[in-house]
Amino acid sequence: MTLLDIRLLTVQEYHRMAEIGILDADERVELLAGQIVKKAAKSPPHCAAVKRTENLVNNRLGNRVLVRLQDPVRLNDNSEPEPDIALLVRDPLYYEDHHPTPSEIYLIIEVADTTLRTDLGIKANLYARSQIADYWVLDVNNRQLHVLREPSQDGYQSIAVLGDDASISPLQFPDISFAVRDMLRPLITV
């Protein structure tokens, strides 16, 4: 069996496909490593975890960051993922003239209920190669937070898995702490 020589798309070509209608405006896709990838459907637990985490970040960090939800970040010429949550350097234009690039990203958070393998696999590799220093994957099913740091071309060199009883601080904001349980569905005690 021979490997196919696959032609990868650029971000510019991807945008052009949307402009001329090859991709529908409401089509749930993102460009990862030069390939158009379908995004998973958003389940109620996923949406709730994103909203909980967004509220937590806004309450703790306020005007210190710009929070964007499920909007594109441009990692390089072939990757423009749409992370669930991106904490960004504040921009007076709110990134009206470009999508945020790695030097403008403090933290990326992906929420995983059906996408854990992708979030810890291809996305983690893309973010590491793009030098995203702080990448978290909130696993809503197992009530864990995967914290990936120390990016390199070979992936993240530091990976920690925190339980829902742990707390974590973003690298750029060590004075702020988030309890993992506050990002997850509250446990019902009887």
Side-chain angles (χ1 to χ4, degrees), residues 17 27 79 86 106 115 140 147 172 175:
M17 290 172 76
E27 200 164 353
S79 293
Y106 292 127
T115 60
V140 297
V147 178
Q172 293 293 319
D175 57 314

Side-chain angles (χ1 to χ4, degrees), residues 21-33:
I22 293 171
L23 296 173
D24 290 333
D26 60 349
E27 200 164 353
R28 294 190 34 79
V29 295
E30 58 189 341
L31 186 66
L32 302 178

Side-chain angles (χ1 to χ4, degrees), residues 48-122:
V50 168
K51 185 51 80 178
R52 263 189 221 99
T53 305
E54 175 196 17
N55 287 342
L56 188 63
V57 168
N58 283 328
N59 287 338
R60 300 274 167 74
L61 288 170
N63 289 332
R64 295 169 70 180
V65 299
L66 178 63
V67 178
R68 286 183 49 164
L69 303 180
Q70 299 165 344
D71 286 336
V73 295
R74 182 173 177 166
L75 299 181
N76 55 45
D77 288 339
N78 296 101
S79 293
E80 196 172 81
E82 298 181 10
D84 290 316
I85 301 171
L87 278 61
L88 308 171
V89 172
R90 294 193 60 78
D91 180 349
L93 295 177
Y94 292 84
Y95 297 96
E96 184 176 336
D97 58 345
H98 71 284
H99 290 309
T101 60
S103 66
E104 298 164 312
I105 299 170
Y106 292 127
L107 168 65
I108 286 181
I109 304 171
E110 294 283 7
V111 174
D113 56 348
T114 62
T115 60
L116 186 63
R117 195 166 142 186
T118 300
D119 293 338
L120 292 175
I122 187 171

